[in-house]
Amino acid sequence: MPKQLLFLIFITFSLCGFAQQNDSRLPAGTLITYAAEGGQTVEDGDDNNSPFTTALIEHLGDQDDIAVVLRKVSEKVYKNTNGRQQPVVYTSLAGGALALSAIKSNSGQVINAHALIIGNSAYKNSLKLRNPTNDAKAISEKLKGLSFKVTEALDADRGALISVLSQFYKTSANADLTLLFYAGHGVQVSGTNYMLPVDVKANNLGEKDIQVQGVSFDSVVENLPGKTKLIFFDANRDNPFTFKIR
């Protein structure tokens, strides 16, 4: 197998059936899926959605375990970008298996699933992106179809981003399962991933500026409620402003 296709998926839970899945059998822990490896960029896509979001939409509702679903997603993204983009997955999930299709079949009975979907496209000047808001809308609709309670934030400035995060922490406080999806500009600085709001000022944007103007994705993940957390980061993990770093 080519080295590029070795996925960083560390699975600590077994593949078991989902016909009678309930909250007591949800695996506890956090699963984070990055659309690209650290230090790499993601593609916005030539169609209505990014390659990563397109693959997610196709497979999230599969009856397979989430590990199998994400292996399909990784393979499709790698193939459709001709090897330019390789998603990676890190997980601490343990104590069971998880198929998102099972949430719908048990809707109203056991699983309380909440999702926060963020898509930022309307950046100024050359920073503007085409597809993140499309990606967010598409993922929102997919998750609603799977019986998630969805909160959506589109083209959020920093104030709006902080506000929607704060509100989501409250509304999902008793959730069994929480899901966070982010599409937009992202930056990785000193090992920390940041979401960039649409009002970010790109001129002379240095490391400290990113830390002040951006929102730490890693901190958001840590504060997310729920015994089971699924995180999807469809954004760059390099520093596109390297030439401006002071």
Side-chain angles (χ1 to χ4, degrees):
M1 179 180 295
K3 182 178 180 181
Q4 292 89 340
L5 293 180
L6 294 177
F7 307 117
L8 300 179
I9 303 178
F10 307 106
I11 305 302
T12 57
F13 52 89
S14 61
L15 302 178
C16 64
F18 297 94
Q20 303 298 323
Q21 180 172 318
N22 56 51
D23 68 319
S24 65
R25 293 180 60 186
L26 282 175
T30 301
L31 181 148
I32 304 177
T33 305
Y34 295 104
E37 297 174 304
Q40 301 299 312
T41 61
V42 302
E43 297 189 10
D44 197 17
D46 295 325
D47 299 317
N48 291 327
N49 299 115
S50 73
F52 179 71
T53 294
T54 298
L56 270 183
I57 293 169
E58 181 177 349
H59 293 296
L60 271 182
D62 291 357
Q63 296 183 354
D64 299 310
D65 177 84
I66 191 67
V68 177
V69 166
L70 293 176
R71 185 160 63 246
K72 293 178 184 177
V73 170
S74 293
E75 290 172 350
K76 180 149 290 186
V77 172
Y78 186 83
K79 178 181 178 180
N80 290 345
T81 61
N82 294 317
R84 294 186 301 272
Q85 185 177 328
Q86 178 66 78
V88 292
V89 182
Y90 300 93
T91 180
S92 64
L93 293 179
L98 175 64
L100 297 188
S101 60
I103 296 174
K104 184 175 183 179
S105 63
N106 290 292
S107 178
Q109 299 180 26
V110 177
I111 301 173
N112 184 17
H114 288 251
L116 174 58
I117 311 301
I118 303 169
N120 284 344
S121 289
Y123 296 91
K124 295 182 179 179
N125 303 321
S126 61
L127 294 181
K128 187 173 182 178
L129 297 172
R130 175 172 44 200
N131 282 330
T133 53
N134 295 334
D135 295 337
K137 292 175 183 178
I139 292 292
S140 290
E141 289 305 309
K142 184 69 176 183
L143 293 176
K144 288 175 183 177
L146 294 171
S147 297
F148 276 80
K149 300 176 181 67
V150 175
T151 300
E152 188 178 89
L154 303 177
D155 291 329
D157 60 24
R158 195 174 192 280
L161 195 53
I162 295 299
S163 178
V164 74
L165 285 167
S166 177
Q167 187 61 33
F168 184 74
Y169 293 154
K170 296 176 183 178
T171 58
S172 64
N174 296 318
D176 302 310
L177 168 64
T178 51
L179 184 151
L180 171 63
F181 173 88
Y182 174 75
H185 274 304
V187 178
Q188 187 180 72
V189 176
S190 300
T192 299
N193 297 287
Y194 291 89
M195 300 182 288
L196 297 185
V198 295
D199 58 347
V200 64
K201 297 177 177 61
N203 292 334
N204 299 317
L205 192 62
E207 184 171 328
K208 291 184 179 179
D209 301 301
I210 292 172
Q211 294 169 344
V212 171
Q213 296 184 46
V215 175
S216 170
F217 185 76
D218 301 351
S219 294
V220 171
V221 171
E222 289 179 7
N223 292 317
L224 205 65
K227 63 172 285 188
T228 306
K229 306 178 188 181
L230 302 179
I231 317 296
F232 301 96
F233 191 70
D234 193 1
N236 291 343
R237 299 183 66 206
D238 67 339
N239 184 352
F241 308 108
T242 299
F243 64 97
K244 298 173 183 176
I245 291 292
R246 294 190 295 272

